[in-house]
Amino acid sequence: MSAITFKAVNPSTVASQQNFDVMEIENEFCRAVITRQGAQILSFERKIKSAETDVVDVKSLLWCSELSLQQFLDDLKSDRKTKAIRGGIPLCFPWFGGHLTDAKLPSHGFARTQLWDLTSVDQSAQGHQLVFTLQNDAITDLFWHHQFRLTLSMTCGEHLHLVLGIENVGDTDFDCEFAWHSYFPLNAIESVKIDGLQGKKFLDQLTNETYVQEHAQIQFDQETDRIYQDVAGNYQIHDGLQQIDIQTKNCKSAIVWNPWIKKTQRLEDVDAQAWQKFVCLECANVRENRLHIKAGQSDQFSMVIF
Ligand code: BG6
C-alpha cells in the first residue's frame, strides 16, 4: 500500500497540497504523520518484515503527547491560535530555549509554530520524499529581523532521513541556533541507556554548572536537562526492549531532556505519566556551537533515525 492523505481539520478549509493541516503517509516501509505547522513529523512507524514468516512488525520511532495533539486539533477547529505540539520532531529556530535578551519572545524560536510550505512531494523505490520551506515574512520579522530560507527535506522510507538547509538570503551576516527537538518513545525510563556522549562537556541547565560525561551511557533517575557541546553526533537509545539509532552530520550539540515527575505536572499538554514514556535527544547547533551564516551563504545538516 502506498498513499498520501491530506487532511484539513477546520471544515471551512479544503484539503489540498497547499491547504492542509495534517498529512498521512503510508508506503511499504513506514507510516508517518506530519503537520504543516512546523513541518513537524509527529509519528514515524517503521515496518519490519520477518524474512522467515513474512509477518510485519511495527517499530515506533517517535513519541507524541495525545493531549497536546488533541489541543492542537481543537484549536484548529475553533480558529484559536495553535501552540507548539509536544511530540515528534519540532524544529527549534532561530534560537534554542528562552531568548537571551527578550523573555517575551517565544521559547525555542518561531519555526515550530509557523506554517511551512510544502514545495515538493516525490515517491521513489526508497519511499516518499517531501520538501518543506519557511522564509522570512512579516510574521517572522516581528521576532527576528533577518532574511532567511529554511528547507527541510524529509524522506520517509526504511529510515527517517531529515536534511535541513539554512540559507541567509539577506545582505548582512547572522548568528542562529537550531535543534531537532526529537521525542523518542520508551518502554520504561528506568531501563533507558543512551550511548554516544562519553567524554563530552555538558552544561547542566538545572544547576548551571558544567561537567564532563564520565559514564559511557546516560541513565535517568531524576529530572535531566543538559546541553552537550562538540559532540560526534551518533547515538543509540536502548530501553531494554528496543534500540533506536540516530546518525547526524554537522550537528555539533546535543540536548538530553526528561522532565521527571514534578516538571511533568507543570506541563499542561501531557498526562502525569508522560515522563516515563519519552526522552528527548536533540541534535542541534546551540550555545558555543551556534551558527554564523554569512550573507548569501547557506549551511546543511542531516539526521537519520532507524
Ligand atoms: C528542552 C530544554 O530542549 O525543551 C528544556 O532543554 C525545556 O529546558 C524543554 O523545558 C521543553 O521546552 P518547551 O518550550 O517545548 O516546553
Side-chain angles (χ1 to χ4, degrees):
M1 170 174 196
S2 182
I4 302 189
T5 314
F6 292 97
K7 292 188 172 168
V9 176
N10 189 316
S12 66
T13 60
V14 181
S16 75
Q17 278 202 15
Q18 282 310 312
N19 194 7
F20 67 95
D21 301 307
V22 181
M23 64 191 288
E24 293 173 357
I25 289 185
E26 171 137 30
N27 57 43
E28 64 176 295
F29 307 109
C30 66
R31 282 198 296 260
V33 179
I34 300 149
T35 50
R36 193 170 156 214
Q37 171 175 299
Q40 186 168 336
I41 181 157
L42 301 183
S43 145
F44 183 85
E45 293 177 323
R46 202 177 143 197
K47 299 177 184 174
I48 302 169
K49 199 172 187 179
S50 148
E52 293 93 52
T53 60
D54 259 12
V55 171
V56 177
D57 201 15
V58 171
K59 177 176 174 181
S60 223
L61 296 187
L62 296 172
W63 177 87
C64 184
S65 161
E66 284 174 27
L67 187 59
S68 176
L69 178 58
Q70 196 52 55
Q71 287 171 353
F72 170 73
L73 297 173
D74 291 347
D75 287 344
L76 274 178
K77 272 191 208 130
S78 335
D79 286 328
R80 283 190 297 262
K81 191 173 171 338
T82 53
K83 301 192 184 103
I85 306 169
R86 194 175 298 289
I89 313 184
L91 177 72
C92 307
F93 174 89
W95 59 84
F96 173 80
H99 189 274
L100 287 183
T101 56
D102 186 349
K104 290 194 291 302
L105 290 175
S107 163
H108 290 325
F110 51 74
R112 62 179 179 167
T113 47
Q114 290 301 298
L115 275 187
W116 290 53
D117 285 327
L118 176 60
T119 45
S120 80
V121 179
D122 281 312
Q123 197 182 351
S124 68
Q126 277 71 49
H128 286 94
Q129 192 191 45
L130 316 170
V131 180
F132 290 92
T133 53
L134 180 72
Q135 279 187 249
N136 61 286
D137 61 14
I139 301 175
T140 68
D141 213 39
L142 295 173
F143 306 116
W144 200 54
H145 309 299
H146 293 287
Q147 290 171 279
F148 67 90
R149 184 184 300 117
L150 302 184
T151 307
L152 180 65
S153 138
M154 198 181 278
T155 304
C156 297
E158 212 173 324
H159 300 162
L160 172 62
H161 186 186
L162 303 183
V163 179
L164 174 70
I166 304 179
E167 199 180 341
N168 182 342
V169 293
D171 47 21
T172 50
D173 297 2
F174 62 63
D175 284 352
C176 63
E177 298 177 303
F178 93 88
W180 273 310
H181 194 310
S182 312
Y183 287 78
F184 293 105
L186 310 174
N187 286 296
I189 183 77
E190 296 80 5
S191 322
V192 170
K193 296 185 173 86
I194 298 179
D195 273 315
L197 288 162
Q198 190 174 27
K200 301 299 171 193
K201 190 177 79 173
F202 67 88
L203 171 73
D204 187 326
Q205 297 221 84
L206 303 172
T207 60
N208 224 15
E209 300 282 338
T210 301
Y211 305 92
V212 171
Q213 176 67 39
E214 285 177 12
H215 299 292
Q217 296 178 313
I218 301 174
Q219 294 183 262
F220 299 85
D221 58 8
Q222 58 184 326
E223 184 180 349
T224 304
D225 192 352
R226 300 174 179 178
I227 301 179
Y228 288 82
Q229 299 287 335
D230 302 315
V231 298
N234 297 319
Y235 316 96
Q236 292 86 40
I237 303 175
H238 317 261
D239 73 355
L241 288 181
Q242 72 168 17
Q243 176 177 321
I244 296 178
D245 286 75
I246 300 131
Q247 295 179 353
T248 69
K249 285 199 187 115
N250 208 13
C251 296
K252 300 192 177 99
S253 316
I255 298 95
V256 177
W257 180 57
N258 179 280
W260 215 249
I261 301 165
K262 282 202 179 129
K263 172 128 189 191
T264 297
Q265 288 162 356
R266 295 200 300 272
L267 299 174
E268 289 169 356
D269 52 6
V270 294
D271 66 64
Q273 278 72 46
W275 61 281
Q276 295 171 306
K277 299 177 191 165
F278 77 82
V279 66
C280 286
L281 173 57
E282 308 171 38
C283 300
N285 283 291
V286 300
R287 306 300 185 254
E288 293 126 73
N289 297 134
R290 77 164 49 79
L291 303 166
H292 179 75
I293 305 192
K294 292 199 163 96
Q297 304 281 302
S298 61
D299 210 345
Q300 216 177 56
F301 314 88
S302 75
M303 174 166 74
V304 182
I305 301 175
F306 55 98

